[in-house]
Amino acid sequence: MEESQFDVIIFGTGLVNSITAAALSKAGYKVAHVDSNPYYGGEEAVYRLKNSYNGQITLQSRQYSICLQPAVLPSLGPLISSLVSSGVAKYSGFKLLDCVSVYHSSGHVKSVPGSKEDIFKNKEISLIEKRRLMRFLTFAAGDFEDKQELEGKHELPFVEFLPAVFSLSEEITSVIAYSLAFCMASTEPTLPTLQRLRRYLRSGGRYGPSPFLIGHYGGIGDIAQGFCRAAAVSGGVYILSRQITDIARVKPAQISNNGDDQATQLDEKKRTFNYAVNLNDFPDTLSCNLVISPPSYVPPNLKDEVRQLPPASSNVLKSNAASIARCISIIDQALALRSRTPEPEPISAPESTEPAEQDIEGQPKTQPPPPVIEDQAIDTAVLVFPPSSVKGGSTTHSATVFINGEGSLSTPKGKWLLYITLPLASTPEESVTPEILLRPYLDALLLLSVDPSKSPIKPLFTAFYLENPAIPFPPSGEKSAVEEISNTSSTYIIPATLPIAPLPDIPDEAAVIAENTFMEAAKILRKINPPNEDEEEAIVFWPPLPADDDDDDSEW
């Protein structure tokens, strides 16, 4: 192939497309990866603060890595498997999540037990509840699909299943549903919730006590860039900051034959390509057999040829969420996110007739303030607000707060990023702003300073916004022409839409969608250019890494 000719052109460098690009490049296909933005990551990109209201933020703005799609990674799952199998893990750094906590309506925070040892050490859970809880966790970590406890209850709301089958109290049920299983709403069915919880439970202990990892430098935005790097090392071509001016279908009728043998040879080369792509301020026209892109890149002239792949998850998430309200805030005080151990009552000293001890200036000495308990200061954590736990908050959905500190290399020392996420059952009216929806949660957080004398904390930066999920293609009510033809007839495909998912599920859903996209792309490319019979092998998502996989990629 010539330099401007490719097997596949992928538009957009979000996590799904970046994983797909890396897999196709490693499989030997020639890939061009194009993004109209000047940065990697697409909708999961990592941003730097350019300026703010506070001079301190401005001076340290380059030290903040703010991710538009905050997430934590289960230690077992599709994304971790892809990171290891592809070799991309060496391009990224990770740390364990310090803790998961739950907010109580009384205004206190309680640690969520993450192991059997934590459960038995917990003095707030009665012995009977501990036994019931252990019985449930043993059930949830095993192969429960055919168990009697689950029979006929697959679609029962999970918050009803727990008390009905395991006799768990309302408080324990709330903690399990929203802080262990990360349910977003009380209506989520039992079977998919249990399957999600099982993956979390089995993740504990793989890399440490926590089942969750946090990516350095902003998380999945930096991970997406790592997959782009792997694609480039395997021969992928990257073109950023170029707007698409035209994507044209190359049809056989366009091929000319003017008797010139050289021209005929060139035309024969063009005959094997399905699309011609022109970019703004880019000298060459790119040719390819297959296009992969999000819906936003589809030109009007090709919308009838595009096919979107079906949802990848075997159990479609049923969170009844239509959009997400988000808040990003920066603070310079640590939050107390672990349960406080009740302190013993002080023993009163007997009254003395001696005069009070005085300092050198003749004033009575005062007792120093109680020291700040250092182990309450958390660097990275997840805090869950169950429904109705905050006055003015949601009564139907749980809010999740991801706290990210300097340990993840996403903030300077002594600063923390707060990501507040609230799923919404419907898109709010214009008069109901994201700030109105999320202010109760932010105000509650700012009262949780490790040092009570500095409460409420004053944020250094705060932003509220509404995120609407990608609209499936074609839009509702329209019908694509490719629905009338075979699945592999379309050579312009759109990966499945990334669903609104719990905080730990976003990366794994993206990895599953990417694998399905890769498999479909490989089938199409093999149909266009069939391999020789002696060379044909099974399609493998990630081929085995060579033993001496020390690619010279320092110049990428």
Side-chain angles (χ1 to χ4, degrees):
M1 291 185 188
E2 297 181 0
E3 289 186 359
S4 61
Q5 296 174 336
F6 301 89
D7 292 306
V8 55
I9 295 178
I10 302 176
F11 295 111
T13 54
L15 183 58
V16 170
N17 285 2
S18 296
I19 297 174
T20 304
L24 287 169
S25 292
K26 284 181 172 288
Y29 294 106
K30 190 175 179 183
V31 177
H33 205 170
V34 180
D35 200 316
S36 58
N37 297 308
Y39 50 81
Y40 296 91
E43 294 183 355
E44 295 91 35
V46 174
Y47 282 89
R48 313 290 181 187
L49 283 178
K50 293 184 178 179
N51 50 56
S52 184
Y53 314 110
N54 187 294
Q56 190 176 22
I57 290 287
T58 302
L59 293 174
Q60 299 177 321
S61 61
R62 296 293 298 173
Q63 298 181 45
Y64 290 91
S65 297
I66 299 176
C67 186
L68 296 183
Q69 187 72 272
V72 296
L73 284 66
S75 297
L76 285 174
L79 183 60
I80 288 293
S81 296
S82 285
L83 284 166
V84 174
S85 300
S86 65
V88 173
K90 67 183 179 182
Y91 300 138
S92 302
F94 304 88
K95 78 178 296 290
L96 284 170
L97 184 74
D98 289 331
C99 72
V100 177
S101 300
V102 62
Y103 187 88
H104 193 266
S105 57
S106 63
H108 299 293
V109 171
K110 296 184 178 182
S111 301
V112 175
S115 64
K116 294 180 181 179
E117 184 181 2
D118 292 341
I119 292 172
F120 285 112
K121 283 183 176 180
N122 194 306
K123 297 180 179 179
E124 298 178 354
I125 306 175
S126 68
L127 182 58
I128 294 177
E129 285 279 8
K130 287 179 181 179
R131 289 174 178 170
R132 292 172 178 172
L133 180 55
M134 285 305 305
R135 176 173 168 256
F136 165 73
L137 293 178
T138 302
F139 167 82
D143 298 324
F144 46 71
E145 279 82 357
D146 296 325
K147 296 288 186 179
Q148 183 179 356
E149 290 91 338
L150 193 57
E151 187 176 347
K153 301 180 179 66
H154 290 189
E155 296 300 319
L156 183 71
F158 187 58
V159 294
E160 297 178 18
F161 170 80
L162 293 175
V165 177
F166 291 91
S167 303
L168 293 169
S169 67
E170 182 179 353
E171 184 174 355
I172 295 294
T173 293
S174 178
V175 170
I176 293 173
Y178 301 110
S179 304
L180 281 181
F182 287 91
C183 289
M184 295 187 288
S186 60
T187 56
E188 293 190 24
T190 293
L191 180 58
T193 303
L194 281 173
Q195 291 171 332
R196 188 169 67 235
L197 176 58
R198 177 172 57 193
R199 190 168 75 254
Y200 302 159
L201 293 174
R202 292 181 176 181
S203 293
R206 183 179 187 186
Y207 298 113
S210 173
F212 302 117
L213 297 170
I214 299 171
H216 287 173
Y217 301 109
I220 61 176
D222 186 69
I223 291 172
Q225 187 167 340
F227 280 103
C228 292
R229 183 175 185 175
V233 169
S234 297
V237 174
Y238 276 78
I239 305 171
L240 301 185
S241 196
R242 292 291 183 272
Q243 298 294 324
I244 300 167
T245 57
D246 178 60
I247 304 177
R249 191 75 156 90
V250 179
K251 298 180 180 180
Q254 294 178 276
I255 299 174
S256 62
N257 188 348
N258 56 10
D260 187 336
D261 291 340
Q262 185 175 0
T264 301
Q265 291 175 5
L266 292 176
D267 283 338
E268 287 298 325
K269 290 182 180 180
K270 290 181 182 179
R271 183 191 296 274
T272 62
F273 294 96
N274 294 322
Y275 298 95
V277 178
N278 291 299
L279 306 176
N280 184 43
D281 196 26
F282 195 80
D284 298 325
T285 296
L286 307 181
S287 302
C288 69
N289 282 323
L290 175 66
V291 173
I292 301 174
S293 85
S296 59
Y297 281 84
V298 178
N301 62 303
L302 295 178
K303 69 176 184 177
D304 289 336
E305 299 188 22
V306 173
R307 176 170 58 93
Q308 182 163 30
L309 302 181
S313 179
S314 57
N315 289 291
V316 178
L317 294 164
K318 300 177 181 178
S319 63
N320 74 343
S323 58
I324 301 175
R326 293 190 183 275
C327 171
I328 300 173
S329 187
I330 297 175
I331 59 174
D332 59 359
Q333 299 294 323
L335 298 177
L337 297 176
R338 284 198 174 112
S339 302
R340 296 176 181 266
T341 304
E343 298 182 6
E345 293 290 332
I347 301 175
S348 300
E351 293 186 6
S352 172
T353 56
E354 297 294 325
E357 186 179 356
Q358 297 180 339
D359 61 16
I360 57 175
E361 296 180 354
Q363 299 295 326
K365 283 189 174 181
T366 57
Q367 294 295 326
V372 174
I373 302 175
E374 291 296 334
D375 65 358
Q376 289 179 355
I378 302 298
D379 184 65
T380 57
V382 172
L383 176 62
V384 177
F385 288 83
S388 303
S389 59
V390 175
K391 184 179 180 180
S394 175
T395 59
T396 58
H397 288 75
S398 63
T400 306
V401 184
F402 177 33
I403 297 97
N404 211 351
E406 62 179 287
S408 65
L409 306 182
S410 296
T411 68
K413 186 175 182 179
K415 304 294 189 297
W416 288 264
L417 278 165
L418 307 181
Y419 296 100
I420 307 176
T421 302
L422 176 65
L424 305 174
S426 60
T427 303
E429 299 178 359
E430 291 185 8
S431 59
V432 181
T433 65
E435 181 172 2
I436 291 175
L437 296 169
L438 296 174
R439 177 58 69 177
Y441 300 102
L442 180 60
D443 289 345
L445 277 170
L446 299 179
L447 293 173
L448 298 177
S449 174
V450 164
D451 185 352
S453 67
K454 297 181 179 179
S455 181
I457 301 170
K458 294 182 179 179
L460 305 177
F461 169 88
T462 303
F464 300 91
Y465 61 99
L466 187 67
E467 177 186 318
N468 292 312
I471 299 174
F473 194 93
S476 178
E478 296 183 17
K479 191 173 184 180
S480 173
V482 298
E483 292 179 0
E484 305 296 334
I485 57 180
S486 64
N487 285 344
T488 56
S489 296
S490 175
T491 53
Y492 193 134
I493 60 175
I494 298 175
T497 302
L498 190 64
I500 295 177
L503 193 69
D505 278 18
I506 297 168
D508 282 344
E509 286 291 322
V512 171
I513 292 172
E515 181 174 0
N516 286 5
T517 304
F518 163 81
M519 291 297 185
E520 188 64 28
K523 290 177 184 177
I524 294 172
L525 292 171
R526 282 193 173 193
K527 185 176 181 181
I528 294 172
N529 292 310
N532 297 327
E533 291 185 5
D534 55 343
E535 296 178 355
E536 188 171 0
E537 297 179 356
I539 299 174
V540 180
F541 187 36
W542 298 114
L545 289 172
D548 56 345
D549 187 24
D550 297 322
D551 301 293
D552 185 14
D553 55 1
S554 58
E555 295 182 1
W556 184 82

